[in-house]
Amino acid sequence: MEKANARFAKSREFLKDAVRFNIDFAQTAQSLKLPAPPLQKPCRQGAVTVKLPDGAAALAKTCNMSLAEAISRRVSVRAYAAESISLEELSAMLYATQGVRKTISPSTATRVVPSAGSRHAFETYVIVNMVEGLKKGVYRFLPFDNQLELIALDDDAAEKAAQACLGQIFVASAAFTLFWTVIPERMEWRYDLAAHKVLAIDAGHVCQNLYLATTAIGAGTCAIAAYDQNACDQLLGVDGEEEFTIYVAPVGRCR
């Protein structure tokens, strides 16, 4: 057991209190009054966008069970029916995971999920396979605009997503798959070296909301952390350094 503990020691340090870094918070980018990173990555010039139904209203309308029941029924689902999800249901899931409640300042906004310092360092990409009204391909959610930005039309996007998830083929049968990327600078701006532990914690908050919301609409999901980093980043068109994949979750009707 001693040898095993020594082998794990370095990785375990990541989970310990970040104050071990002896961070001088008077020297963070925020304290030095440097500009905060944008709350949302800008939409590319000339990009095609799709307006979504109101997410909060869609969530209230499509959920058909109580929170207590959703918590009790929550499971990881890896078998999906060959059935489409409506655009309204997709909007509900996006709102449940990253919906904006209030913009407080140019550098701070609150959302329906908690985040350290309200930094919300994630971007949400959607691999669309069977969503009513949307062509197959890669999209990015714009929570402050309640829109989807089309990244690329691709009839094989779902299969590529499955391969990027180390060949977990059930991903290809999902109606859509959410890929969350992280832009670390958003959290580093406030927390410096303490940022990276809370980024991992925040990802859990987001995906748990997805589990409960999918359960409540009669669908299912399965969180995926086993993936090919480069393949995922390439599929989404992100640079892998300043923005990279951190979590994945396919969504579909339960078979």
Side-chain angles (χ1 to χ4, degrees):
M1 180 61 76
E2 226 174 272
K3 286 184 180 178
N5 284 343
R7 186 163 62 90
F8 295 135
K10 185 175 180 181
S11 291
R12 288 178 180 180
E13 285 298 312
F14 175 75
L15 297 176
K16 295 181 181 178
D17 194 344
V19 297
R20 72 185 187 279
F21 292 120
N22 296 315
I23 298 163
D24 181 359
F25 282 95
Q27 298 301 312
T28 65
Q30 181 184 21
S31 295
L32 295 173
K33 301 192 183 305
L34 298 175
L39 295 173
Q40 175 179 283
K41 191 169 79 167
C43 189
R44 296 167 304 154
Q45 187 173 7
V48 173
T49 59
V50 179
K51 185 68 177 175
L52 291 167
D54 180 82
L59 185 63
K61 179 181 176 181
T62 57
C63 289
N64 54 29
M65 66 181 68
S66 68
L67 174 62
E69 189 176 358
I71 290 173
S72 297
R73 290 192 177 191
R74 185 222 62 81
V75 294
S76 290
V77 176
R78 296 177 177 83
Y80 306 116
E83 185 179 340
S84 295
I85 293 280
S86 71
L87 190 62
E88 188 173 42
E89 288 170 318
L90 171 59
S91 183
M93 298 305 97
L94 292 172
Y95 178 80
T97 53
Q98 284 288 270
V100 176
R101 295 175 63 189
K102 183 180 180 181
T103 300
I104 298 171
S105 72
S107 64
T108 308
T110 59
R111 305 198 192 191
V112 297
V113 290
S115 175
S118 292
R119 295 309 304 143
H120 299 285
F122 305 127
E123 293 284 334
T124 305
Y125 292 78
V126 188
I127 305 300
V128 170
N129 185 31
M130 294 179 289
V131 177
E132 295 169 8
L134 292 179
K135 294 181 179 179
K136 294 184 178 186
V138 183
Y139 298 77
R140 181 169 66 94
F141 178 43
L142 308 174
F144 289 87
D145 306 302
N146 195 38
Q147 294 179 342
L148 291 175
E149 174 192 4
L150 174 62
I151 303 300
L153 293 176
D154 188 344
D155 287 342
D156 298 323
E159 288 73 21
K160 291 176 182 176
Q163 291 307 310
C165 291
L166 303 180
Q168 297 182 75
I169 198 61
F170 70 92
V171 174
S173 64
F176 64 88
T177 300
L178 299 183
F179 279 71
W180 291 291
T181 64
V182 63
I183 298 179
E185 186 189 8
R186 284 188 198 157
M187 194 68 74
E188 293 162 349
W189 176 78
R190 179 166 291 174
Y191 292 116
D192 202 83
L193 288 173
H196 310 105
K197 176 180 175 178
V198 291
L199 286 174
I201 293 170
D202 281 1
H205 298 150
V206 172
C207 198
Q208 180 64 5
N209 262 25
L210 180 68
Y211 265 102
L212 297 178
T214 54
T215 302
I217 70 166
T221 189
C222 178
I224 293 176
Y227 51 78
D228 181 316
Q229 186 73 55
N230 289 335
C232 288
D233 294 344
Q234 288 173 12
L235 176 63
L236 306 180
V238 299
D239 65 12
E241 295 293 335
E242 299 304 319
E243 181 183 5
F244 51 87
T245 305
I246 194 169
Y247 219 178
V248 184
V251 175
R253 302 278 183 215
C254 302
R255 195 167 65 192

